[in-house]
Amino acid sequence: MSDHFSGPAVIGDPAVDITDFYAFPSPGRPGNLVLIMDVFPLATPQSLFSDVVTHRFRLRPLTRSDGSITVGAKEHRIDVRFGDVLEGGAIQKGRIATSDGREASFVVGTPLEQDGMRVFAGLVSDPFFMDVEAALRTDMSGKLSLNTAVNTVELRDVLSIVVEIPFDQIVEQFGGATLIAAISETVVTRRGNPIRLERVGRPEMKNVIIANSARDPRTKGVELRDLYNREDAFALSNVYRPLYESRLDTNLSFWDGLDGHTAWPVGPDTPHPLRDLLIDDFLVLDLSRPFAPGGFLEIERALLADRSHMTAGGRWLDDDILDELLTLMVNGGQGERLGDGVDAPTQPASFSFPYVREPNKRADIPLPAFLRN
Protein backbone atom coordinates (compact mmCIF):
# COMPACT_ATOMS: atom_id res chain seq x y z
CA MET A 1 0.00 0.00 0.00
CA SER A 2 2.19 2.84 -1.26
CA ASP A 3 3.88 3.51 2.09
CA HIS A 4 1.07 2.57 4.49
CA PHE A 5 2.27 0.23 7.27
CA SER A 6 5.84 0.29 5.91
CA GLY A 7 7.60 -1.47 8.76
CA PRO A 8 6.98 -2.81 12.28
CA ALA A 9 7.98 0.42 14.03
CA VAL A 10 5.47 2.69 12.30
CA ILE A 11 2.68 0.11 12.48
CA GLY A 12 2.78 0.67 16.25
CA ASP A 13 2.14 4.41 15.91
CA PRO A 14 -0.06 5.35 12.94
CA ALA A 15 0.33 9.08 13.63
CA VAL A 16 3.97 8.91 12.46
CA ASP A 17 3.28 6.52 9.56
CA ILE A 18 3.62 8.44 6.28
CA THR A 19 1.21 6.79 3.88
CA ASP A 20 2.02 8.84 0.77
CA PHE A 21 4.03 11.74 -0.59
CA TYR A 22 3.18 13.88 -3.61
CA ALA A 23 5.05 16.74 -5.29
CA PHE A 24 3.95 18.64 -8.40
CA PRO A 25 3.80 22.15 -9.88
CA SER A 26 0.60 23.97 -8.96
CA PRO A 27 -2.11 23.33 -11.60
CA GLY A 28 -3.55 26.82 -11.26
CA ARG A 29 -0.67 28.99 -10.08
CA PRO A 30 2.44 28.68 -12.27
CA GLY A 31 5.59 29.35 -10.27
CA ASN A 32 4.33 27.45 -7.23
CA LEU A 33 5.23 24.00 -5.94
CA VAL A 34 2.76 21.73 -4.12
CA LEU A 35 3.96 19.22 -1.51
CA ILE A 36 1.57 16.77 0.16
CA MET A 37 2.33 14.39 3.02
CA ASP A 38 -0.36 11.95 4.15
CA VAL A 39 -0.11 10.21 7.52
CA PHE A 40 -2.24 7.98 9.75
CA PRO A 41 -3.61 5.11 7.62
CA LEU A 42 -7.26 4.23 8.26
CA ALA A 43 -7.78 7.58 9.98
CA THR A 44 -11.14 8.52 11.52
CA PRO A 45 -12.69 11.86 12.54
CA GLN A 46 -11.16 11.26 15.99
CA SER A 47 -7.61 10.90 14.62
CA LEU A 48 -5.12 13.66 15.47
CA PHE A 49 -1.79 14.75 14.06
CA SER A 50 1.10 13.86 16.36
CA ASP A 51 2.12 16.74 18.64
CA VAL A 52 5.55 15.12 19.14
CA VAL A 53 6.97 14.79 15.64
CA THR A 54 8.04 17.32 13.04
CA HIS A 55 6.54 16.68 9.60
CA ARG A 56 9.33 17.73 7.27
CA PHE A 57 9.66 18.30 3.52
CA ARG A 58 13.21 18.49 2.12
CA LEU A 59 14.29 19.74 -1.30
CA ARG A 60 17.74 19.62 -2.92
CA PRO A 61 19.08 20.56 -6.36
CA LEU A 62 19.99 17.86 -8.87
CA THR A 63 22.56 17.83 -11.66
CA ARG A 64 22.07 15.52 -14.62
CA SER A 65 24.99 14.11 -16.61
CA ASP A 66 25.86 10.87 -18.40
CA GLY A 67 22.54 9.19 -17.67
CA SER A 68 22.65 9.80 -13.93
CA ILE A 69 21.80 12.51 -11.41
CA THR A 70 23.88 13.97 -8.60
CA VAL A 71 22.36 15.50 -5.48
CA GLY A 72 23.61 18.91 -4.41
CA ALA A 73 24.43 19.95 -0.84
CA LYS A 74 22.12 22.96 -0.57
CA GLU A 75 18.77 22.23 1.03
CA HIS A 76 15.38 23.87 1.48
CA ARG A 77 13.26 22.63 4.39
CA ILE A 78 9.64 23.04 5.35
CA ASP A 79 8.67 21.96 8.88
CA VAL A 80 5.10 21.47 10.06
CA ARG A 81 4.28 20.84 13.72
CA PHE A 82 1.03 20.45 15.62
CA GLY A 83 -0.05 21.24 19.14
CA ASP A 84 -1.90 19.02 21.57
CA VAL A 85 -5.68 19.13 21.90
CA LEU A 86 -6.83 20.02 25.38
CA GLU A 87 -9.07 17.57 27.20
CA GLY A 88 -12.61 18.13 26.04
CA GLY A 89 -11.42 20.21 23.08
CA ALA A 90 -11.84 19.50 19.40
CA ILE A 91 -9.54 22.02 17.69
CA GLN A 92 -5.95 21.21 16.80
CA LYS A 93 -3.61 23.95 15.69
CA GLY A 94 -0.41 23.80 13.67
CA ARG A 95 2.57 25.88 12.68
CA ILE A 96 4.67 25.90 9.53
CA ALA A 97 8.22 27.24 9.18
CA THR A 98 10.43 27.25 6.09
CA SER A 99 14.21 27.50 5.93
CA ASP A 100 13.96 30.83 4.10
CA GLY A 101 12.06 32.47 6.95
CA ARG A 102 8.38 32.01 6.14
CA GLU A 103 6.22 31.20 9.17
CA ALA A 104 2.50 30.87 9.76
CA SER A 105 0.03 29.40 12.24
CA PHE A 106 -3.12 27.59 11.12
CA VAL A 107 -6.08 25.59 12.37
CA VAL A 108 -6.53 21.96 11.31
CA GLY A 109 -9.36 21.66 8.83
CA THR A 110 -9.16 25.30 7.68
CA PRO A 111 -7.10 26.34 4.61
CA LEU A 112 -4.70 29.25 5.14
CA GLU A 113 -3.13 31.62 2.63
CA GLN A 114 -0.44 34.01 3.83
CA ASP A 115 2.29 35.87 1.94
CA GLY A 116 1.78 33.70 -1.14
CA MET A 117 2.03 30.45 0.85
CA ARG A 118 -0.95 28.12 1.19
CA VAL A 119 -1.38 25.50 3.92
CA PHE A 120 -4.04 22.93 4.71
CA ALA A 121 -4.06 20.05 7.19
CA GLY A 122 -6.93 17.75 7.99
CA LEU A 123 -8.85 14.53 7.46
CA VAL A 124 -9.31 13.67 3.77
CA SER A 125 -10.22 10.78 1.51
CA ASP A 126 -7.14 8.60 0.99
CA PRO A 127 -6.01 9.48 -2.55
CA PHE A 128 -4.06 6.25 -3.03
CA PHE A 129 -5.45 3.36 -5.07
CA MET A 130 -4.18 -0.18 -5.47
CA ASP A 131 -5.20 -3.84 -5.30
CA VAL A 132 -2.88 -4.77 -2.44
CA GLU A 133 -3.96 -8.41 -2.32
CA ALA A 134 -3.15 -8.82 -6.02
CA ALA A 135 0.36 -7.43 -5.51
CA LEU A 136 0.90 -9.70 -2.50
CA ARG A 137 -0.30 -12.76 -4.45
CA THR A 138 2.11 -11.93 -7.26
CA ASP A 139 4.99 -11.42 -4.83
CA MET A 140 4.32 -14.68 -2.97
CA SER A 141 3.47 -16.92 -5.93
CA GLY A 142 6.01 -15.67 -8.47
CA LYS A 143 3.23 -15.37 -11.06
CA LEU A 144 1.46 -12.27 -12.31
CA SER A 145 -1.87 -12.40 -10.44
CA LEU A 146 -3.35 -8.99 -11.14
CA ASN A 147 -6.87 -9.98 -12.14
CA THR A 148 -9.13 -8.98 -9.25
CA ALA A 149 -9.15 -5.16 -9.61
CA VAL A 150 -10.25 -4.37 -6.04
CA ASN A 151 -9.16 -1.04 -4.58
CA THR A 152 -7.97 -1.92 -1.08
CA VAL A 153 -8.03 1.78 -0.11
CA GLU A 154 -11.59 2.42 -1.33
CA LEU A 155 -13.54 4.78 1.00
CA ARG A 156 -10.72 5.04 3.54
CA ASP A 157 -9.32 8.25 5.02
CA VAL A 158 -5.94 9.70 6.06
CA LEU A 159 -4.64 12.88 7.67
CA SER A 160 -3.12 15.14 5.04
CA ILE A 161 -0.70 18.10 5.07
CA VAL A 162 -0.76 20.23 1.93
CA VAL A 163 1.75 23.05 1.36
CA GLU A 164 1.91 25.29 -1.70
CA ILE A 165 4.82 27.72 -1.96
CA PRO A 166 6.40 29.97 -4.60
CA PHE A 167 9.60 28.33 -5.84
CA ASP A 168 11.47 31.29 -7.31
CA GLN A 169 13.54 31.80 -4.15
CA ILE A 170 14.23 28.08 -3.93
CA VAL A 171 15.57 28.02 -7.49
CA GLU A 172 17.68 31.08 -6.67
CA GLN A 173 19.03 29.34 -3.55
CA PHE A 174 19.90 26.34 -5.73
CA GLY A 175 21.93 28.49 -8.13
CA GLY A 176 19.31 28.43 -10.85
CA ALA A 177 18.82 24.65 -10.82
CA THR A 178 15.23 23.67 -11.59
CA LEU A 179 15.75 19.90 -11.44
CA ILE A 180 15.16 19.01 -7.79
CA ALA A 181 14.81 16.08 -5.41
CA ALA A 182 11.96 16.03 -2.89
CA ILE A 183 11.32 13.83 0.15
CA SER A 184 9.05 13.79 3.21
CA GLU A 185 9.95 12.73 6.75
CA THR A 186 8.63 12.44 10.28
CA VAL A 187 11.28 13.41 12.81
CA VAL A 188 11.56 13.67 16.60
CA THR A 189 14.25 15.44 18.58
CA ARG A 190 15.94 13.84 21.58
CA ARG A 191 18.57 15.77 23.56
CA GLY A 192 18.93 18.17 20.69
CA ASN A 193 19.48 15.44 18.08
CA PRO A 194 16.98 14.72 15.29
CA ILE A 195 15.81 11.11 14.99
CA ARG A 196 14.13 10.12 11.73
CA LEU A 197 11.13 7.85 12.24
CA GLU A 198 10.10 7.48 8.63
CA ARG A 199 10.87 8.89 5.20
CA VAL A 200 9.13 8.63 1.87
CA GLY A 201 10.37 9.50 -1.59
CA ARG A 202 8.98 7.17 -4.24
CA PRO A 203 5.90 5.09 -3.41
CA GLU A 204 6.19 1.30 -3.00
CA MET A 205 9.96 1.29 -2.50
CA LYS A 206 9.51 -0.38 0.88
CA ASN A 207 6.29 -2.36 0.51
CA VAL A 208 6.79 -3.75 -3.01
CA ILE A 209 10.53 -3.68 -3.72
CA ILE A 210 12.22 -4.05 -0.31
CA ALA A 211 9.69 -5.90 1.86
CA ASN A 212 10.17 -9.53 0.77
CA SER A 213 13.13 -10.94 2.70
CA ALA A 214 12.93 -14.54 1.47
CA ARG A 215 14.91 -14.38 -1.79
CA ASP A 216 18.20 -12.62 -1.10
CA PRO A 217 20.67 -14.95 0.69
CA ARG A 218 22.62 -12.02 2.13
CA THR A 219 19.61 -10.45 3.87
CA LYS A 220 17.35 -13.49 4.18
CA GLY A 221 14.81 -13.10 6.95
CA VAL A 222 15.95 -9.56 7.86
CA GLU A 223 13.29 -6.84 8.16
CA LEU A 224 15.12 -3.95 6.48
CA ARG A 225 12.31 -1.42 6.29
CA ASP A 226 12.74 0.04 9.78
CA LEU A 227 16.46 0.57 9.14
CA TYR A 228 15.68 2.05 5.73
CA ASN A 229 13.12 4.43 7.22
CA ARG A 230 15.73 5.91 9.55
CA GLU A 231 18.25 6.58 6.79
CA ASP A 232 18.92 9.99 5.30
CA ALA A 233 17.73 9.65 1.70
CA PHE A 234 20.55 11.95 0.58
CA ALA A 235 23.32 10.14 2.53
CA LEU A 236 22.75 6.43 3.05
CA SER A 237 24.80 4.70 5.73
CA ASN A 238 27.93 3.03 4.37
CA VAL A 239 27.27 0.18 6.81
CA TYR A 240 23.75 -0.65 5.66
CA ARG A 241 23.81 0.48 2.03
CA PRO A 242 25.27 -2.86 0.80
CA LEU A 243 22.31 -4.64 2.43
CA TYR A 244 19.78 -2.42 0.66
CA GLU A 245 21.65 -2.88 -2.62
CA SER A 246 21.66 -6.66 -2.25
CA ARG A 247 17.94 -6.76 -1.49
CA LEU A 248 17.12 -4.47 -4.43
CA ASP A 249 19.29 -6.47 -6.86
CA THR A 250 17.51 -9.70 -5.91
CA ASN A 251 13.94 -8.44 -5.74
CA LEU A 252 14.17 -6.31 -8.88
CA SER A 253 15.38 -9.39 -10.78
CA PHE A 254 12.39 -11.31 -9.40
CA TRP A 255 9.92 -8.74 -10.75
CA ASP A 256 11.76 -8.63 -14.07
CA GLY A 257 11.26 -12.36 -14.55
CA LEU A 258 7.51 -12.47 -14.00
CA ASP A 259 6.67 -12.31 -17.71
CA GLY A 260 9.18 -15.01 -18.63
CA HIS A 261 11.52 -12.54 -20.34
CA THR A 262 14.52 -10.51 -19.18
CA ALA A 263 14.19 -6.78 -19.71
CA TRP A 264 17.12 -5.90 -17.45
CA PRO A 265 20.11 -8.27 -17.97
CA VAL A 266 22.32 -8.66 -14.93
CA GLY A 267 25.84 -10.10 -14.93
CA PRO A 268 27.39 -12.08 -12.05
CA ASP A 269 29.21 -9.03 -10.70
CA THR A 270 27.02 -6.20 -11.97
CA PRO A 271 24.09 -4.50 -10.24
CA HIS A 272 20.55 -4.56 -11.53
CA PRO A 273 20.25 -1.64 -14.00
CA LEU A 274 17.44 -0.06 -11.92
CA ARG A 275 19.13 -0.40 -8.55
CA ASP A 276 21.23 2.74 -8.36
CA LEU A 277 18.46 4.85 -9.84
CA LEU A 278 15.84 3.67 -7.34
CA ILE A 279 18.05 3.57 -4.27
CA ASP A 280 18.28 7.35 -4.66
CA ASP A 281 14.84 7.33 -3.13
CA PHE A 282 13.28 10.73 -3.79
CA LEU A 283 10.80 12.22 -6.21
CA VAL A 284 12.47 13.99 -9.13
CA LEU A 285 10.86 17.20 -10.42
CA ASP A 286 11.69 19.79 -13.03
CA LEU A 287 10.28 23.13 -11.88
CA SER A 288 10.79 24.64 -15.34
CA ARG A 289 8.05 22.38 -16.72
CA PRO A 290 4.31 23.08 -16.33
CA PHE A 291 1.86 20.94 -14.39
CA ALA A 292 0.64 17.84 -16.20
CA PRO A 293 -0.80 14.58 -14.80
CA GLY A 294 1.02 11.33 -15.46
CA GLY A 295 4.60 12.47 -14.88
CA PHE A 296 5.51 9.86 -12.27
CA LEU A 297 8.83 8.17 -13.24
CA GLU A 298 8.95 10.00 -16.60
CA ILE A 299 12.22 11.76 -15.73
CA GLU A 300 13.71 8.51 -14.43
CA ARG A 301 12.71 6.68 -17.62
CA ALA A 302 14.33 9.47 -19.65
CA LEU A 303 17.55 9.02 -17.66
CA LEU A 304 17.55 5.29 -18.39
CA ALA A 305 16.97 5.93 -22.10
CA ASP A 306 19.51 8.77 -22.19
CA ARG A 307 16.96 11.20 -23.64
CA SER A 308 15.55 14.54 -22.59
CA HIS A 309 12.60 14.36 -20.25
CA MET A 310 9.31 15.86 -21.37
CA THR A 311 7.39 16.53 -18.13
CA ALA A 312 7.77 18.02 -14.66
CA GLY A 313 7.97 14.50 -13.24
CA GLY A 314 7.20 14.26 -9.55
CA ARG A 315 3.89 12.69 -8.61
CA TRP A 316 0.33 13.95 -9.06
CA LEU A 317 -2.44 12.65 -6.79
CA ASP A 318 -4.15 10.60 -9.52
CA ASP A 319 -1.00 9.15 -11.11
CA ASP A 320 -1.31 5.35 -11.37
CA ILE A 321 2.02 4.69 -9.70
CA LEU A 322 1.67 0.90 -9.38
CA ASP A 323 1.03 0.42 -13.11
CA GLU A 324 4.01 2.64 -13.93
CA LEU A 325 6.31 0.85 -11.50
CA LEU A 326 5.21 -2.66 -12.51
CA THR A 327 5.66 -1.91 -16.20
CA LEU A 328 9.13 -0.48 -15.59
CA MET A 329 10.28 -3.41 -13.45
CA VAL A 330 8.74 -6.26 -15.46
CA ASN A 331 9.29 -5.28 -19.08
CA GLY A 332 11.21 -2.01 -18.99
CA GLY A 333 8.32 -0.25 -20.72
CA GLN A 334 8.98 -2.25 -23.90
CA GLY A 335 5.86 -4.41 -23.78
CA GLU A 336 2.26 -4.13 -22.69
CA ARG A 337 1.40 -1.77 -19.87
CA LEU A 338 0.93 -3.89 -16.76
CA GLY A 339 -1.38 -3.03 -13.89
CA ASP A 340 -3.67 -4.15 -11.12
CA GLY A 341 -6.88 -3.02 -12.82
CA VAL A 342 -7.44 -0.24 -10.29
CA ASP A 343 -7.05 2.99 -12.22
CA ALA A 344 -8.55 5.72 -10.00
CA PRO A 345 -8.94 6.64 -6.32
CA THR A 346 -12.17 6.75 -4.34
CA GLN A 347 -12.54 10.39 -5.37
CA PRO A 348 -10.51 12.01 -8.18
CA ALA A 349 -8.25 14.86 -7.14
CA SER A 350 -9.34 18.46 -7.42
CA PHE A 351 -7.36 20.88 -9.58
CA SER A 352 -7.93 23.57 -6.95
CA PHE A 353 -6.21 23.96 -3.58
CA PRO A 354 -5.97 21.89 -1.42
CA TYR A 355 -6.33 19.26 -4.23
CA VAL A 356 -7.21 16.46 -1.77
CA ARG A 357 -10.88 15.52 -1.37
CA GLU A 358 -13.34 15.52 1.53
CA PRO A 359 -13.20 12.50 3.89
CA ASN A 360 -15.48 9.49 3.55
CA LYS A 361 -15.97 8.97 7.32
CA ARG A 362 -16.96 5.35 6.93
CA ALA A 363 -16.85 3.34 10.14
CA ASP A 364 -18.46 0.24 8.63
CA ILE A 365 -15.51 -0.92 6.49
CA PRO A 366 -13.60 -3.98 7.81
CA LEU A 367 -9.84 -4.07 8.01
CA PRO A 368 -8.11 -5.00 4.74
CA ALA A 369 -7.51 -8.73 4.44
CA PHE A 370 -3.71 -8.40 4.54
CA LEU A 371 -3.96 -6.71 7.96
CA ARG A 372 -6.44 -9.22 9.34
CA ASN A 373 -4.05 -12.01 8.36
Side-chain angles (χ1 to χ4, degrees), residues 82-141:
F82 296 90
D84 197 3
V85 176
L86 299 177
E87 186 174 351
I91 297 176
Q92 189 172 28
K93 297 181 179 180
R95 186 163 184 81
I96 182 171
T98 69
S99 56
D100 61 357
R102 296 174 185 265
E103 294 188 14
S105 297
F106 59 90
V107 175
V108 170
T110 303
L112 170 77
E113 183 166 353
Q114 180 177 308
D115 300 328
M117 178 173 64
R118 290 172 165 177
V119 184
F120 170 81
L123 184 71
V124 304
S125 180
D126 193 333
F128 187 58
F129 52 100
M130 173 183 175
D131 188 338
V132 175
E133 298 299 326
L136 289 174
R137 285 196 307 272
T138 298
D139 197 3
M140 295 297 107
S141 69

Side-chain angles (χ1 to χ4, degrees), residues 8 40 42 61 86 141 143 149 175 220 226 248 256 281 334 336:
F40 214 125
L42 313 183
L86 299 177
S141 69
K143 299 178 181 179
K220 191 177 182 66
D226 283 348
L248 260 67
D256 182 12
D281 189 4
Q334 301 303 309
E336 67 173 313

Side-chain angles (χ1 to χ4, degrees), residues 58 72 94 112-113 150 168 245 252 267 295:
R58 299 170 63 197
L112 170 77
E113 183 166 353
V150 175
D168 54 345
E245 291 177 339
L252 286 169

Side-chain angles (χ1 to χ4, degrees), residues 211-280:
N212 194 312
S213 63
R215 302 185 191 99
D216 176 30
R218 186 174 186 181
T219 62
K220 191 177 182 66
V222 178
E223 172 57 84
L224 286 179
R225 291 177 298 172
D226 283 348
L227 284 173
Y228 189 83
N229 270 330
R230 285 163 171 72
E231 292 274 7
D232 184 343
F234 300 130
L236 291 181
S237 159
N238 291 329
V239 175
Y240 295 120
R241 183 183 181 107
L243 301 183
Y244 309 138
E245 291 177 339
S246 184
R247 178 72 60 84
L248 260 67
D249 279 336
T250 300
N251 286 353
L252 286 169
S253 291
F254 162 81
W255 288 98
D256 182 12
L258 287 177
D259 62 352
H261 303 282
T262 300
W264 305 103
V266 178
D269 298 312
T270 58
H272 189 285
L274 293 177
R275 186 195 76 186
D276 291 342
L277 177 72
L278 295 178
I279 206 169
D280 286 338

